[in-house]
Amino acid sequence: MTLHVTNTLTGEKEPFEPQDPENVLLYYCGLTVSDPPHLGHARSWVHVDVMHRWLEHLSYDVRHVENFTDVNEKIVARVGEDDLGESEGDVAETYIQRTIDDMRSLNLLRAEVYPRVSEHVPEIIDLVETLIEKGYAYESNGSVYFDVSSFDGYGKLSNQELDEIESQGDPDERTEKRNPADFALWKAGGVDPDAVAEHRHEGVDHGGDPPEGLTWESPWSEGRPGWHIECSAMSMTHLDETLDIHVGGRDLVFPHHENEIAQSEAATDQQFANYWLHCELFQMDEEKMSSSLGNFVTVDEAIDRWGTNVMRTFLTAGSYNSKQLYSDETIAEARERWEQLERGYEAAVEVLDSPAASSKVADESLRDEVDAAREAFATAMNDDFNTREAQSALLSVATAINRHLEESSADGDEGAGYDYRGLRQAVETLEELGRILGLSFTGETTGSAELAGDVVDLVLDVREQEREAGNYERADELRDELEALGIEVQDTDDGSTYRLPSGE
């Protein structure tokens, strides 16, 4: 079955046909790094990760780019809060590091690159200049706006007519714009103090003058890039003028993605993205989970409480384009499903690696059930990345394992043992297909570096205590044991440092 995806641009489920039959250009609108990442972000991350993994399973070379928006008034509003930093750049760095740590803890495949807005201002300025030269944008009081009336087809992603679209941007822009729906490509000056005040956390008093954001020189003024132009510049810099798949949250369809299409296609005369996929929002008490509403559970809190496998089981229990409810009950259901998978896997491995597994026993029902599960999993994933049905197929493997073990055990001495080949097939299927959902039955995940580092720190603390107590032989033994695991330890005047083996 050919992979089919639901394309927001057409409103149809369509066969997926990349421009290059061997490569896929995948862009995901990443975070504005102004708050700790929460489970709403994690849901989109995990589903994009599953898309990446399935496309690679289909033998595509996936070029996956995901940006960090590190220039925004929301970031400026955090300056001076909770030791986050004393500048917009400092706050952004703090949250980028936290975001990367959370990505690793969720066992996400790494993107090809994570571009930042602050690194791409020259490309943004070049793109704005092109739009002005081609008559799609105009300068006004040092700011630059995109003229939506100049672009045929504006509104095609969100299914809106131009005369139905209300004003975009800040109210103070209206006197500078030709049309209320025009949007900013470049804003003269620094961050609006009122915008900073609007995004300050309640009860936090910083006193003094409001913090200033970053500004850059441009042909029109010293100022800052508009929000929408950033993704166009970064995606075209690192991928191409036409993307195969552009993914983002449902709440970004308008105005962000609509404006990306307009400015990109106006500049290049090429279709910006062939397939637009939008992740539905995460519901919490009948509201979407969001930083602005303050009703969120952070990623690190969730991982600490439930672990990576339970969270990924939970987040893939619904398809990317279906709404999902967060509650104690839905988390408990996910934990039960993961434990069912884990118990089935561990029981199969225990028997598989014992004398009871026989080369002469053939449980055709077990083998058929595993084959059927593989087929069902592929059918589900090719049906618009339907992780809900794919997860059900995986659970059917655990059910088949349990049935085989129970029936073979019930035969007692009269039975000939367990089906080695069938159990091996089941174990390898759980490992292979589980990996596509980002589940790890062996404890090996791409998100293990932070935990490994914590363990090494603990061992080095114990080693230092042994040295201080004069137990140098035991301290040397601990160092030798770490180095036997490939961990390089170096003693300095400031203490011990280490390097994990590559891949951790």
Side-chain angles (χ1 to χ4, degrees):
M1 178 181 177
T2 302
L3 172 63
H4 284 67
V5 298
T6 299
N7 190 353
T8 305
L9 186 62
T10 63
E12 302 289 338
K13 187 180 290 186
E14 305 170 355
F16 175 65
E17 298 177 355
Q19 303 164 85
D20 181 336
E22 297 181 354
N23 298 282
V24 173
L25 305 183
L26 170 65
Y27 184 80
Y28 172 65
C29 272
L31 268 63
T32 297
V33 286
S34 60
D35 289 283
H38 57 64
L39 288 186
H41 302 132
R43 183 170 195 260
S44 293
W45 285 347
V46 165
H47 280 288
V48 172
D49 182 65
V50 171
M51 293 174 190
H52 184 161
R53 291 169 183 265
W54 184 246
L55 289 165
E56 286 191 338
H57 181 80
L58 296 178
S59 299
Y60 291 112
D61 180 13
V62 180
R63 297 191 58 203
H64 171 187
V65 171
E66 176 174 344
N67 75 291
F68 289 128
T69 295
D70 63 343
V71 178
N72 190 276
E73 66 271 12
K74 294 179 182 178
I75 302 172
V76 179
R78 300 290 175 265
V79 171
E81 289 188 15
D82 301 325
D83 299 321
L84 293 174
E86 297 303 318
S87 70
E88 183 176 18
D90 290 343
V91 174
E93 286 290 323
T94 298
Y95 277 125
I96 287 172
Q97 184 60 65
R98 184 162 180 176
T99 300
I100 293 170
D101 291 343
D102 287 347
M103 288 175 166
R104 299 285 72 76
S105 72
L106 279 167
N107 191 26
L108 303 178
L109 296 177
R110 289 178 176 84
E112 178 177 302
V113 67
Y114 296 97
R116 307 180 192 182
V117 175
S118 61
E119 300 172 334
H120 292 77
V121 174
E123 290 87 350
I124 291 170
I125 291 173
D126 287 345
L127 184 55
V128 174
E129 287 185 307
T130 297
L131 291 168
I132 292 174
E133 291 169 3
K134 297 183 73 172
Y136 290 102
Y138 57 93
E139 183 270 337
S140 178
N141 294 332
S143 295
V144 180
Y145 297 94
F146 187 91
D147 181 357
V148 295
S149 66
S150 67
F151 181 73
D152 291 337
Y154 187 79
K156 61 185 177 181
L157 183 70
S158 55
N159 293 314
Q160 298 183 85
E161 296 296 332
L162 184 57
D163 57 7
E164 299 173 349
I165 297 173
E166 298 179 358
S167 177
Q168 297 189 61
D170 297 330
D172 61 2
E173 296 176 354
R174 292 176 184 174
T175 58
E176 298 181 341
K177 298 194 295 187
R178 296 175 183 172
N179 309 298
D182 293 350
F183 58 89
L185 301 173
W186 185 266
K187 286 289 292 179
V191 179
D192 182 356
D194 291 337
V196 174
E198 179 185 349
H199 295 293
R200 284 289 200 192
H201 283 146
E202 186 176 352
V204 178
D205 182 14
H206 298 275
D209 296 329
E212 298 181 357
L214 297 166
T215 57
W216 291 265
E217 291 292 339
S218 78
W220 319 285
S221 65
E222 182 177 343
R224 293 161 62 88
W227 173 35
H228 311 297
I229 196 71
E230 301 163 357
C231 281
S232 293
M234 289 185 286
S235 63
M236 290 193 285
T237 295
H238 294 283
L239 291 173
D240 205 343
E241 293 180 350
T242 299
L243 312 173
D244 290 309
I245 300 176
H246 191 307
V247 189
R250 176 67 61 185
D251 55 340
L252 297 180
V253 172
F254 186 87
H256 187 48
H257 291 164
E258 191 73 68
N259 292 345
E260 276 190 68
I261 289 175
Q263 64 204 11
S264 302
E265 296 185 2
T268 67
D269 297 319
Q270 303 294 322
Q271 183 160 324
F272 179 48
N274 290 329
Y275 301 91
W276 287 86
L277 277 58
H278 286 97
C279 300
E280 275 294 353
L281 304 180
F282 210 16
Q283 299 296 117
M284 188 170 184
D285 297 327
E286 304 306 317
E287 291 183 315
K288 75 169 186 176
M289 184 180 290
S290 73
S291 300
S292 59
L293 293 175
N295 63 342
F296 59 86
V297 177
T298 64
V299 174
D300 60 348
E301 290 170 345
I303 295 295
D304 286 346
R305 183 172 179 184
W306 295 293
T308 301
N309 284 316
V310 171
M311 288 316 304
R312 289 202 63 129
T313 302
F314 168 64
L315 294 169
T316 57
S319 297
Y320 76 92
N321 53 7
S322 65
K323 290 184 179 179
Q324 188 172 12
L325 177 67
Y326 169 87
S327 68
D328 290 341
E329 291 78 11
T330 53
I331 290 288
E333 290 169 2
R335 183 171 186 171
E336 183 178 340
R337 285 194 297 273
W338 165 247
E339 289 177 350
Q340 180 182 344
L341 288 169
E342 187 177 40
R343 284 194 303 268
Y345 177 84
E346 291 177 349
V349 168
E350 183 179 359
V351 172
L352 189 61
D353 294 338
S354 76
S358 172
S359 62
K360 290 294 188 72
V361 174
D363 182 345
E364 296 301 336
S365 294
L366 171 63
R367 300 181 187 189
D368 289 346
E369 289 172 63
V370 173
D371 285 339
R374 294 183 70 91
E375 183 176 347
F377 187 97
T379 298
M381 292 301 296
N382 281 328
D383 183 17
D384 202 15
F385 305 105
N386 189 336
T387 55
R388 180 181 181 84
E389 293 302 320
Q391 194 178 109
S392 295
L394 209 58
L395 285 164
S396 71
V397 177
T399 300
I401 289 170
N402 292 334
R403 179 200 57 74
H404 172 71
L405 297 181
E406 289 172 6
E407 291 180 356
S408 299
S409 176
D411 289 340
D413 294 337
E414 297 178 3
Y418 301 92
D419 180 0
Y420 176 88
R421 287 185 175 86
L423 287 173
R424 178 180 174 181
Q425 179 187 357
V427 165
E428 291 177 349
T429 295
L430 286 175
E431 290 175 346
E432 177 188 347
L433 302 187
R435 193 156 45 242
I436 291 167
L437 297 183
L439 303 174
S440 175
F441 292 95
T442 61
E444 298 171 358
T445 70
T446 57
S448 62
E450 184 176 1
L451 177 59
D454 290 343
V455 172
V456 174
D457 287 335
L458 180 61
V459 173
L460 289 178
D461 285 343
V462 173
R463 177 173 177 264
E464 187 60 31
Q465 293 170 17
E466 295 288 357
R467 293 176 69 184
E468 290 175 356
N471 301 324
Y472 298 110
E473 184 175 344
R474 177 56 183 152
D476 289 342
E477 289 176 356
L478 289 172
R479 174 178 179 148
D480 292 343
E481 289 172 7
L482 287 174
E483 292 187 342
L485 296 173
I487 299 166
E488 298 178 21
V489 179
Q490 184 173 2
D491 294 320
T492 70
D493 293 339
D494 296 324
S496 299
T497 63
Y498 65 88
R499 183 186 337 205
L500 294 172
S502 60
E504 288 296 323

